[in-house]
Amino acid sequence: GESVGLHLPTLSVQEGDNSIINCAYSNSASDYFIWYKQESGKGPQFIIDIRSNMDKRQGQRVTVLLNKTVKHLSLQIAATQPGDSAVYFCAETGGSNYKLTFGKGTLLTVNP
Amino acid sequence: ETGVTQTPRHLVMGMTNKKSLKCEQHLGHNAMYWYKQSAKKPLELMFVYNFKEQTENNSVPSRFSPECPNSSHLFLHLHTLQPEDSALYLCASSQAGQGNEQFFGPGTRLTVL
């Protein structure tokens, strides 16, 4: 069935290192993907998105890569900072006009 | 702030109580959503409203009753809940249409005793 899942539930990195968070999806109709960040006690916050006609998109310190061939999405965070510690979710629309399907989430911990 | 507010932020209720969660969005969006977030589970979509009309009920038990009086306000009425309903309830809004991000509120942390 349709699913969006994360390869690793936890990731621990040193401050200043680069972080990579991965996500797999199974719905080939997915054409829009989002990464959200959720800090403790807060709702998910938009980080970056990408449409299926692209394979890479860059933001401020973040890059999202999309590999449609293997249905894989990744979020790269450059020079990870303690403020980046949070749970990161990928989400995809699966061709829907309004629904998002979320992955389980990866907990990123940044060690000073 | 994301422009989506939720009240209350925390709620403790007994199984026989009736309470309501409120969500308000100040972004001019026309779609609103209720999600349930339990520990170690993906976000679960509960209800979707497009232009005040309910377009999705994701097999949610009838003890949860949504209400959308206008495109800016969304309520979730709760009655005779079970302890397993304890979770973070998140509201979100978006501009309906393919490929539009959803903006989330801070959530209501619900504990059912």
Side-chain angles (χ1 to χ4, degrees):
Chain A
E2 299 177 9
S3 67
V4 177
L6 292 168
H7 291 306
L8 295 173
T10 62
L11 178 64
S12 183
V13 301
Q14 291 298 122
E15 182 177 359
D17 287 352
N18 296 332
S19 303
I20 300 176
I21 301 172
N22 296 303
C23 182
Y25 65 96
S26 59
N27 190 340
S28 57
S30 296
D31 51 12
Y32 179 62
F33 304 85
I34 307 176
W35 280 101
Y36 283 93
K37 171 186 180 183
Q38 187 174 21
E39 297 174 272
S40 180
K42 297 183 179 180
Q45 183 180 13
F46 173 88
I47 302 174
I48 191 168
D49 59 2
I50 189 168
R51 299 187 187 275
S52 58
N53 61 352
M54 304 172 68
D55 53 21
K56 180 179 180 179
R57 189 158 188 232
Q58 289 184 289
Q60 188 175 15
R61 283 200 307 116
V62 295
T63 301
V64 55
L65 299 178
L66 175 62
N67 185 329
K68 294 181 289 293
T69 302
V70 296
K71 298 189 183 71
H72 185 267
L73 190 70
S74 69
L75 177 70
Q76 300 178 359
I77 305 174
T80 315
Q81 302 168 0
D84 294 327
S85 294
V87 177
Y88 290 81
F89 295 93
C90 62
E92 48 91 15
T93 59
S96 167
N97 278 338
Y98 53 84
K99 288 175 60 176
L100 286 177
T101 301
F102 286 83
K104 186 184 287 188
T106 292
L107 174 61
L108 175 66
T109 303
V110 182
N111 302 308
Chain B
E1 294 299 316
T2 63
V4 181
T5 58
Q6 289 186 244
T7 54
R9 294 293 309 276
H10 301 272
L11 178 62
V12 179
M13 59 187 289
M15 289 190 285
T16 58
N17 291 158
K18 289 185 180 181
K19 297 287 183 183
S20 295
L21 310 184
K22 179 183 176 181
C23 176
E24 184 173 0
Q25 59 97 359
H26 314 274
L27 301 169
H29 291 160
N30 49 29
M32 296 188 77
Y33 311 76
W34 279 117
Y35 287 88
K36 177 183 178 182
Q37 187 175 37
S38 304
K40 300 181 181 179
K41 284 187 178 180
L43 279 165
E44 299 174 60
L45 179 65
M46 299 175 71
F47 301 104
V48 181
Y49 278 81
N50 275 305
F51 296 95
K52 302 186 298 176
E53 298 297 320
Q54 188 180 126
T55 54
E56 186 92 14
N57 177 337
N58 208 21
S59 302
V60 181
S62 60
R63 57 186 184 269
F64 295 91
S65 175
E67 178 190 1
C68 187
N70 55 62
S71 58
S72 298
H73 294 85
L74 186 65
F75 295 89
L76 188 62
H77 304 299
L78 316 171
H79 72 97
T80 59
L81 294 193
Q82 304 297 312
E84 60 264 29
D85 296 322
S86 298
L88 181 68
Y89 288 85
L90 290 159
C91 173
S93 71
S94 74
Q95 197 62 24
Q98 200 162 29
N100 290 313
E101 67 173 284
Q102 292 178 18
F103 292 79
F104 284 84
T108 295
R109 174 67 63 186
L110 174 67
T111 302
V112 181
L113 301 176

